[in-house]
Amino acid sequence: MVMLTTLAIVKARLGLADENILNDALLAMAIAGVSARMEREMRRVLQRTVDFAQEFPASDQAVSLRCYPLETVARVELRGAEHEAWRLRENLAWQVRSGCVVAFAEAPGRPGEMARVIYTGGYLLPGAEGAPGQLPLPADLLNAATEQVACWFLNRDRLGVVRQWPKGGTYEQYSELDLLPGVEAVLRHHTRL
């Protein structure tokens, strides 16, 4: 499960004491939901993944990676039909562009065949241990996830309310609570094209 922020970070943002565990399960579910939503919006996988397998038409000379930034490419494999086994494509030269595109010197295969590239890429998520050279999740994504969870938590009692006019009170109308404008701006910056 992808978690773009941690329970400790969200609780600190909300001013909740570590000893206060009353809402921990709810906050953990919110973190998971917000993290999944952010990945869907950006059309990419953020968590560092070893041996990520991404399929593409074998006649393509470039593939835009879903899990980046790229660390290493392990191999490229081909197959002609769904029931066939994958076979290694040897002696294939490629270049990495912008840390997220693998461009081949020639198409890995013929039209009608499928190829897949096996690689390691993505970010270390908050709280994960890493080795030198592995990149942590950018701070703006961490902050965006934290703020979105905090906003949801603080407004959870008003979700779905369109109008409220208590007798003798003030008329209130809540718009649908979606992604915060600042969060949307951060996601646009990190979206896979």
Side-chain angles (χ1 to χ4, degrees):
M1 180 181 325
V2 175
M3 305 287 258
L4 300 182
T5 187
T6 65
L7 184 60
I9 293 170
V10 171
K11 287 177 78 168
R13 164 62 181 85
L14 291 167
L16 299 174
D18 289 337
E19 301 80 34
N20 180 354
I21 60 169
L22 180 65
N23 293 302
D24 283 7
L26 183 65
L27 286 170
M29 288 188 300
I31 291 168
V34 165
S35 298
R37 167 83 188 275
M38 289 175 68
E39 277 196 332
R40 273 192 316 275
E41 292 286 328
M42 291 183 286
R43 298 185 300 274
R44 64 184 281 197
V45 175
L46 293 170
Q47 184 173 11
R48 182 180 183 273
T49 307
V50 176
D51 290 337
F52 190 91
Q54 183 173 333
E55 295 182 22
F56 61 98
S59 57
D60 289 356
Q61 279 194 258
V63 59
S64 179
L65 303 177
R66 288 187 48 233
C67 186
Y68 62 89
L70 176 70
E71 284 182 32
T72 59
V73 174
R75 64 191 176 278
V76 177
E77 300 173 329
L78 292 172
R79 76 173 175 195
E82 187 72 29
H83 66 279
E84 292 180 15
W86 290 99
R87 61 190 188 281
L88 182 64
R89 171 59 160 92
E90 297 185 57
N91 302 321
L92 182 63
W94 64 75
Q95 290 182 324
V96 177
R97 296 185 183 149
S98 302
C100 64
V101 175
V102 175
F104 302 102
E106 62 184 55
R110 298 182 304 267
E113 288 184 312
M114 286 300 292
R116 73 177 177 185
V117 60
I118 312 296
Y119 62 95
T120 299
Y123 295 109
L124 290 172
L125 297 185
E129 295 292 324
Q134 297 171 351
L135 298 175
L137 185 71
D140 59 345
L141 286 172
L142 172 72
N143 292 336
T146 302
E147 287 303 314
Q148 190 66 46
V149 171
C151 179
W152 174 85
F153 183 78
L154 294 172
N155 292 288
R156 68 190 183 281
D157 295 333
R158 293 186 279 204
L159 295 178
V161 175
V162 176
R163 288 180 192 84
Q164 182 179 14
W165 199 342
K167 184 175 180 176
T170 306
Y171 175 80
E172 296 175 314
Q173 179 174 356
Y174 303 104
S175 62
E176 182 180 325
L177 184 62
D178 202 22
L179 292 176
L180 296 168
V183 171
E184 287 179 339
V186 169
L187 295 183
R188 276 193 303 275
H189 178 72
H190 291 278
T191 296
R192 176 177 169 255
L193 301 174

